[in-house]
Structures are given as structure tokens and as C-alpha cells.
Amino acid sequence: MAVHAQGKPIRGEKTPAHIYFVPTLLAWFPNAKIIHTFRDPRAIYISSKTKADKKYRPRYSALFRKLGVLFELYSSLQIILPWLQMIRLHHRYRKLYPNQYYLSRYEHLVCAPQDSLRDLCDFLEIDFTEPMLQQSVINSSYVPNSQIAGFDMSAIDRWREHLHPLINKWFLLWCRKRLVEFGYQP
């Protein structure tokens, strides 16, 4: 990590699957802190779907048209089931590692970046600095091959414009209780 950090004082690694291995990571790195970024699963789904459509649509367009909503019902489970598992892990890690595990809600970061970053800095026991607010968005599903500056508040509810109403009901069938628990509007 030191090599990849290029001399930066704080080092991190952001592989999403590492959330499944928090006990092992903390055993290996006892002073580490885990930051778990969490987002509305419907927004995750639409972002993933948009990226996949751009990448695979030309090859599978006839299949997508034929299966339509049925395919979406099936493919959305690839977001729903892991998201529900993340909640179980969140509750477990919060109890087991209260000083080393932190849940960062994407929506809070985007809507109130200064407050969110101050809370995160408090958790990390580092000083907050204004340059932390100067961010570039990289790898957005909605910004073709470029970067935009700052936190994109439209990203929070963009899924509402693109999610089929039946698929939203499907998400609610699986996730309503947990969406409400985390403050997401059903």
C-alpha cells in the first residue's frame, strides 16, 4: 500500500469485496480502520445497469428487448442480495469493532460533504482540511470519459428517472424494511 499511496500519509484500499473479510483484515492490521461506503441499492442498480448497457448492449440488444423487465428482475438480485448481506455485516461489525468500523452513507457525503468529511476525519483521528472538499468525479456512469469537479447531488436521485416502476416495487418487496432503517425513501 505504501507504494500505491505515493508518499501520502494516509493509505487505503477500496476493494468492495473486502467487506466480507473485515475480521481477517483487522487481525492482519490491528491498527487499521474500516470505512464502509453505503448507498441506496436502487441507485447502485441503475449505475451498474447503465455501465453494463454501454458495454454489452450492442451484443445483446435483441435479448434485452425480448426479456425486458424479466431480465431486470433477475439481474437486480445481484444488487439486492449482497446489499442485504452488507446490512447484516454492518450490524455485526458495528458491535464487534466500534472504534475501527465506520459506515459512510454516500448520500450524506454528497448532500453535506463538509459535515460528512468532518465526521469521517473524527473517526480517523485526523484533521479536516478544506482541500478535502475539492474532489473530481471519476468513472461516473453518466459522464462519458471525463471528470467533473465536486460532489454531484443529482447522482442521489438519478435512479428515479431510470428505474422501471415494477423494478422499484421489486426492490421494495425485498428491501423496504432496510431502506427505511437507513433513511431511504421507499
Side-chain angles (χ1 to χ4, degrees):
M1 281 205 282
V3 171
H4 292 291
Q6 299 174 345
K8 295 177 183 169
I10 298 174
R11 300 174 183 119
E13 211 290 319
K14 62 175 190 161
T15 301
H18 284 171
I19 195 69
Y20 295 108
F21 305 103
V22 166
T24 301
L25 290 169
L26 291 176
W28 289 349
F29 304 100
N31 296 323
K33 295 204 175 193
I34 306 297
I35 302 165
H36 178 183
T37 303
F38 195 75
R39 189 176 185 191
D40 186 317
R42 297 163 294 186
I44 297 168
Y45 174 70
I46 288 300
S47 179
S48 298
K49 181 179 178 288
T50 302
K51 286 180 183 179
D53 285 351
K54 287 177 183 175
K55 187 173 183 179
Y56 299 113
R57 180 65 88 181
R59 211 173 342 167
Y60 299 112
S61 62
L63 179 62
F64 286 139
R65 279 195 302 269
K66 286 180 185 176
L67 295 175
V69 173
L70 287 175
F71 179 77
E72 287 198 51
L73 289 170
Y74 169 75
S75 66
S76 64
L77 288 175
Q78 294 177 8
I79 300 298
I80 292 169
L81 297 176
W83 189 81
L84 292 170
Q85 175 66 15
M86 291 308 104
I87 291 172
R88 287 189 288 277
L89 291 173
H90 160 70
H91 288 299
R92 181 174 166 215
Y93 297 157
R94 187 182 62 192
K95 287 178 186 172
L96 290 174
Y97 313 109
N99 298 320
Q100 290 180 281
Y101 171 83
Y102 180 84
L103 184 77
S104 174
R105 287 197 47 234
Y106 173 83
E107 294 81 4
H108 184 241
L109 175 63
V110 171
C111 286
Q114 187 164 347
D115 293 340
S116 182
L117 289 172
R118 283 186 187 280
D119 292 345
L120 183 57
C121 287
D122 288 345
F123 167 73
L124 294 172
E125 300 174 14
I126 62 172
D127 292 331
F128 168 82
T129 61
E130 290 294 323
M132 292 176 179
L133 295 170
Q134 299 164 5
Q135 299 299 314
S136 295
V137 177
I138 302 171
N139 195 23
S140 170
S141 306
Y142 295 90
V143 180
N145 300 324
S146 63
Q147 295 181 357
I148 55 175
F151 296 92
D152 182 9
M153 289 186 60
S154 69
I156 294 172
D157 289 321
R158 189 180 292 132
W159 64 267
R160 294 179 189 280
E161 302 165 24
H162 301 280
L163 189 65
H164 189 285
L166 180 61
I167 304 304
N168 188 42
K169 288 180 182 179
W170 179 244
F171 270 91
L172 294 177
L173 175 71
W174 285 89
C175 305
R176 180 185 299 273
K177 179 181 175 185
R178 298 304 190 185
L179 287 165
V180 170
E181 174 186 345
F182 285 87
Y184 296 114
Q185 184 180 357

